[in-house]
Amino acid sequence: MANDVFAKSLLTRRQALALGASAALAGALPRGAFAADEKVTLWHGWTGADNTTALNGVIDTFNKGGKGVAVEPTGYDWDTLFSKWVVSSAGGRAPDLVLFHITELPEFATRKVIRPIDDVVASSGLDLSQVPDAGRTGVTFDGKVYAAPLDVHPLGFYYNVDMVQEAGLDPSKPPKTGEEFLEWAKKLTVKDGSGKVTRYGFELPNTWATARWIWFSLMYQNGGTFLDDKGLAAVDSEASQKALQYLVDLINVHGVTNPEVGGNKGEDAFASKQVAMKFIGPWEVNLRMAQKMNFMTAQLPVFGQKAAVWANSHCMAVSKQKSDDKLAADGTFMKWFFDNFAAPATTVGIIPQSKAVRESAAFTGTEQYKYFKSFVDDLPNIVYEPLIPKYLSVFSFDKPTPLVTNLQAALSGSKPVPDALKAMKEGLDAQLKKG
Amino acid sequence: MTSLATQPAGRSRARRASAQEGGAVRSGMTLAAYLFLSPYLALFIAFMLLPTLAAIGISFMRWDILGTPEFIGLDNYRQIFADPLFLTAIKNTFYFVFLTAIPMVVLGLALAMLLDQKLKGTAFVRTVVFLPYVVMVSTVGILWGWLFDKGTGLVNYYLTTIGIEPVAWLKDPHWSMPALAITTIWWTVNTNMIIFLAALQDIPEELHDAATLDGAGPWQRFVYITLPLLRPAMALVTALTIINGWRVFGQAYVMTQGGPEASTFVIVQYIYLAAFQNFEMGPAAAAGVVLLLITLVFSLAQMKLMKAI
């Protein structure tokens, strides 16, 4: 019966089998790859729809470039990525390349799930001299380079141009100091006839990590540091207290912000016009453009004695494997990705580390660049969170760690600032001292 | 004599033969039973029993997944009980069980009784009530995150129409856990309803008819017929609700990440953080064993209580 079908069909059984095998092989191959290419697996945490599309598009271009390497990307949310990576490493099934943040690098270097890549950098020709000092330091651990620095994403200042104009302010002259910022925040806060606030001047949510990044920036602007010389928490310093008190005063004294507004997943207080200004990274530029918001960005105002702005960076590292067979292929892709980072940087909303890429027409010629410009201008002022092996447990994004819980308590008013920072220091020190 | 002598011997042989046959049948049936059970048992042993035993073993070890486990006795238990965050997690989880257990049982029963009526459209309503069960926890979390939003959420919109001030459900430490409880009740009460509905349909109609003839009203029929006959279902539903309450995780993780100010931080999230963020498998396993013991104690206490009633 089956033979009859094949006999009557246009294909012979052999042809059909060959076609099936080819289809199966094509399905198993990475995006746009050739059968002879060496397969390199890449795990990353860019899971947003736009980010994944951008990354896959770039990888397709690379895979079709005939470089003899075929990259197969897989995205996980960051938490899943890290746990899956460590468990896979223990089982000898780690991916070849992993994209993560430089602040997490010391932890993975200490756990020995990544290997130094000085040899890969040298053999592939990846030009680290294009990267600012801070970026190069960020990927160096124990004197060895562990990853290719890809981008930098500092905190920036977003404001709604329509609201600024309605308030009689000049959107082309955004505030540069704490006093000017407070003046804007007061004028942009709107109350109804009964005195109830209908729109806050500024967004300062007590959920997610935004408040932490803002407080961190202000702490450094006031001359403080997160850790002291002994590697213990210095969060109870005068500079830190001044920074946090300023934010708490914005809520309680000036009434220009409310920690209960904005911040949660899916809750967009800026687009829903509940706030007029916010501080966030360049990754929101594409979202605001897609929403057709009339907005502008600026450098973070200087609230203290000097400019300082929180930032983080993505980097790409090589997982430690039993054999180094794929190092050449890993290096080929890393260098190509580093040199061709303008496209993913634009779509994801991050600033390329490489000066050549950052100043190339492929980046500066984009419609997003007028918003990215202020972030680029702030690059000399960036400060990374401490690059320590316990980064993930100390600086957890939004989990109830001593840092997060006490910061939330200060913002909500359930603890006075000095008490919250004292409790935070005790909790952080216990974490930092743990063996 | 011979016949008399041989008769018992024959009967005995027959009994033996019959006993042997019976034994063979029984052992055949036992084998068949084990064969039928084997797919479940294999999975149960591989994915429940062995990991549980392994977790108990790991709870006495220092192990970061990558290195070699090292026996450290009860140190992990000492560590977690000295950790204020673990005690907060136990307190919060107990509060969650307290907030959800009674509404889940009472509402489950009430819904089942409503949907047990022979009315037009009952099947449709049953489907609607059961629908949330098939929605994934991440979707439920995001959906209720929107509904509970202080400025734009539907919950506050309706509350303000009746003169109640908007509540920052997920950002106020006093309201975050009740918000998670409400979400959980909406999402899972339907499973309790299904169990109660099945049990209600097992109650013979004649009992109600006879009681009605004897002059019993709806309330008397409910108290003296329905409730006593629902006791086994009630025991099952209560036990499952309490056990699931202690194991809450997904809703808290998606909606509040344990915050604000650790107000929704629960035991399973503590385990998750210890294991997959701090890579401290020992304290994570120890916390898992504590959770196992808590659910065991609560289940046994509840079963004893149900027997006493």
Side-chain angles (χ1 to χ4, degrees):
Chain A
M1 182 68 184
N3 286 341
D4 289 345
V5 172
F6 278 110
K8 285 170 192 167
S9 75
L10 293 170
L11 295 173
T12 66
R13 184 161 54 180
R14 201 167 287 173
Q15 282 171 324
L17 283 171
L19 201 65
S22 316
L25 192 63
L29 280 174
R31 312 174 61 85
F34 299 103
D37 289 347
E38 181 153 22
K39 201 175 97 177
V40 167
T41 50
L42 163 69
W43 286 7
H44 64 88
W46 289 355
T47 48
D50 292 346
N51 299 348
T52 309
T53 309
L55 187 64
N56 289 349
V58 174
I59 289 173
D60 271 349
T61 309
F62 172 81
N63 287 348
K64 286 172 186 161
K67 295 187 186 306
V69 179
V71 176
E72 190 176 48
T74 309
Y76 299 101
D77 69 81
W78 294 112
D79 279 349
T80 310
L81 172 69
F82 299 145
S83 53
K84 206 172 162 57
W85 183 20
V86 172
V87 174
S88 302
S89 295
R93 292 187 303 276
D96 298 307
L97 297 170
V98 183
L99 190 156
F100 55 95
H101 299 97
I102 59 164
T103 40
E104 291 133 12
L105 189 144
E107 176 138 14
F108 295 121
T110 311
R111 291 187 182 281
K112 296 187 172 32
V113 293
I114 52 177
R115 74 185 291 285
I117 58 159
D118 297 276
D119 51 349
V120 182
V121 170
S123 61
S124 66
L126 197 148
D127 187 5
L128 283 180
S129 69
Q130 291 291 331
V131 178
D133 287 347
R136 276 207 306 277
T137 310
V139 292
T140 307
F141 184 73
D142 270 352
K144 292 171 186 153
V145 173
Y146 269 86
L150 299 173
D151 73 279
V152 54
H153 42 273
L155 210 56
F157 176 15
Y158 288 63
Y159 53 94
N160 184 312
V161 171
D162 292 337
M163 292 175 186
V164 167
Q165 282 171 334
E166 280 162 22
L169 299 162
D170 183 354
S172 67
K173 289 180 187 154
K176 290 191 184 307
T177 64
E179 292 76 38
E180 288 171 12
F181 175 80
L182 187 58
E183 191 197 330
W184 269 46
K186 282 179 179 169
K187 285 187 177 164
L188 288 165
T189 300
V190 178
K191 293 177 181 170
D192 64 13
S194 66
K196 199 177 132 202
V197 175
T198 54
R199 185 186 77 205
Y200 286 96
F202 182 53
E203 181 178 346
L204 182 65
N206 71 349
T207 51
W208 214 51
T210 328
R212 179 184 107 210
W213 298 332
I214 298 171
W215 164 62
F216 184 87
S217 304
L218 267 60
M219 185 201 302
Y220 277 77
Q221 290 191 357
N222 284 319
T225 54
F226 193 88
L227 297 182
D228 62 19
D229 299 342
K230 293 174 193 144
L232 294 176
V235 292
D236 57 343
S237 69
E238 199 186 325
S240 165
Q241 290 202 24
K242 201 173 163 191
L244 190 51
Q245 192 63 56
Y246 178 87
L247 297 178
V248 172
D249 287 351
L250 289 181
I251 302 163
N252 299 329
V253 178
H254 306 295
V256 295
T257 186
N258 183 338
E260 292 175 350
V261 174
N264 257 7
K265 284 173 189 166
E267 190 187 326
D268 194 337
F270 194 50
S272 59
K273 299 182 179 175
Q274 295 181 73
V275 296
M277 303 185 285
K278 73 181 295 185
F279 295 166
I280 198 75
W283 59 84
E284 276 201 6
V285 163
N286 284 296
L287 171 71
R288 302 306 167 201
M289 287 174 72
Q291 289 168 336
K292 300 197 186 314
M293 280 187 75
N294 187 13
F295 75 104
M296 197 52 211
T297 60
Q299 285 178 252
L300 212 66
V302 181
F303 298 86
Q305 302 96 42
K306 59 177 182 182
V309 53
W310 171 93
N312 207 335
S313 295
H314 293 104
C315 62
M316 189 179 285
V318 176
S319 281
K320 198 167 186 178
Q321 308 280 3
K322 281 180 190 153
S323 104
D324 285 342
D325 292 353
K326 286 191 180 174
L327 277 190
D330 294 342
T332 303
F333 178 67
M334 276 170 104
K335 180 188 161 20
W336 186 90
F337 196 58
F338 178 82
D339 290 341
N340 292 275
F341 202 69
T346 307
T347 319
V348 175
I350 43 185
I351 313 299
Q353 281 274 24
S354 163
K355 189 167 181 281
V357 178
R358 199 166 60 238
E359 293 176 356
S360 69
F363 187 65
T364 58
T366 58
E367 56 177 333
Q368 288 93 332
Y369 189 73
K370 69 170 178 172
Y371 303 110
F372 289 152
K373 173 86 173 46
S374 60
F375 294 92
V376 174
D377 293 342
D378 235 349
L379 289 188
N381 307 318
I382 63 160
V383 186
Y384 290 123
E385 280 163 336
L387 302 167
I388 51 171
K390 286 182 186 299
Y391 179 83
L392 277 175
S393 48
V394 170
F395 286 92
S396 177
F397 231 47
D398 41 17
K399 321 236 166 43
T401 58
L403 196 164
V404 173
T405 306
N406 286 297
L407 192 59
Q408 288 177 339
L411 293 173
S412 72
S414 55
K415 273 185 194 171
V417 169
D419 293 359
L421 291 176
K422 189 168 172 280
M424 186 192 288
K425 178 181 164 48
E426 283 167 11
L428 285 170
D429 283 350
Q431 282 183 306
L432 291 163
K433 283 177 189 166
K434 211 150 81 173
Chain B
M1 223 11 230
T2 318
S3 64
L4 279 175
T6 53
Q7 224 177 6
R11 270 209 295 271
S12 155
R13 265 199 303 277
R15 266 203 302 272
R16 270 203 302 276
S18 154
Q20 273 167 2
E21 264 172 42
V25 168
R26 265 200 302 278
S27 73
M29 282 175 72
T30 311
L31 184 69
Y34 277 118
L35 278 174
F36 277 117
L37 278 173
S38 60
Y40 169 76
L41 277 179
L43 294 174
F44 174 78
I45 291 168
F47 295 109
M48 287 294 286
L49 191 63
L50 292 180
T52 306
L53 295 175
I56 294 171
I58 293 167
S59 73
F60 300 106
M61 312 269 184
R62 180 181 291 125
W63 186 41
D64 71 346
I65 301 183
L66 291 167
T68 314
E70 175 198 346
F71 183 78
I72 52 165
L74 290 170
D75 278 7
N76 289 325
Y77 290 93
R78 284 190 200 102
Q79 183 185 321
I80 59 170
F81 280 109
D83 185 353
L85 206 53
F86 184 62
L87 303 179
T88 303
I90 293 182
K91 194 184 81 191
N92 287 346
T93 318
F94 179 77
Y95 183 39
F96 177 83
V97 172
F98 171 77
L99 287 177
T100 51
I102 295 171
M104 286 275 284
V105 176
V106 173
L107 211 61
L109 177 60
L111 280 171
M113 296 203 49
L114 271 175
L115 296 177
D116 193 34
Q117 311 299 314
K118 291 179 184 62
L119 298 170
K120 217 174 173 183
T122 311
F124 173 74
V125 179
R126 276 181 199 168
T127 312
V128 169
V129 174
F130 194 69
L131 263 182
Y133 182 74
V134 299
V135 182
M136 280 166 62
V137 66
S138 47
T139 314
V140 170
I142 291 168
L143 174 75
W144 278 90
W146 288 334
L147 291 173
F148 280 130
D149 180 69
K150 188 183 179 186
T152 56
L154 216 55
V155 175
N156 277 340
Y157 171 78
Y158 285 116
L159 286 180
T160 44
T161 58
I162 53 168
I164 297 173
E165 279 291 301
V167 176
W169 289 95
L170 300 177
K171 290 175 187 167
D172 184 334
H174 303 103
W175 286 106
S176 50
M177 195 56 103
L180 286 194
I182 291 169
T183 306
T184 307
I185 292 166
W186 173 84
W187 185 37
T188 58
V189 70
N190 39 43
T191 44
N192 290 356
M193 177 204 80
I194 291 286
I195 297 170
F196 278 130
L197 197 57
L200 281 173
Q201 288 175 353
D202 272 353
I203 298 175
E205 198 69 22
E206 299 82 49
L207 289 177
H208 284 287
D209 294 344
T212 313
L213 279 177
D214 287 343
W219 176 248
Q220 285 166 313
R221 290 204 304 275
F222 174 70
V223 172
Y224 297 109
I225 297 174
T226 310
L227 268 188
L229 289 173
L230 277 183
R231 222 169 65 180
M234 187 80 81
L236 177 70
V237 163
T238 315
L240 286 179
T241 304
I242 290 173
I243 291 170
N244 287 336
W246 278 104
R247 288 166 41 182
V248 61
F249 173 55
Q251 305 91 299
Y253 193 68
V254 175
M255 291 172 74
T256 54
Q257 298 82 41
E261 297 172 52
S263 58
T264 56
F265 188 64
V266 289
I267 299 176
V268 180
Q269 196 181 353
Y270 183 90
I271 296 171
Y272 178 79
L273 274 190
F276 297 115
Q277 184 173 285
N278 303 344
F279 301 108
E280 292 177 344
M281 305 311 281
V289 172
V290 172
L291 177 60
L292 178 74
L293 291 176
I294 290 174
T295 46
L296 206 66
V297 166
F298 266 79
S299 305
L300 289 175
Q302 181 268 337
M303 278 164 72
K304 223 168 176 103
L305 196 71
M306 290 308 287
K307 268 187 194 154
I309 297 167

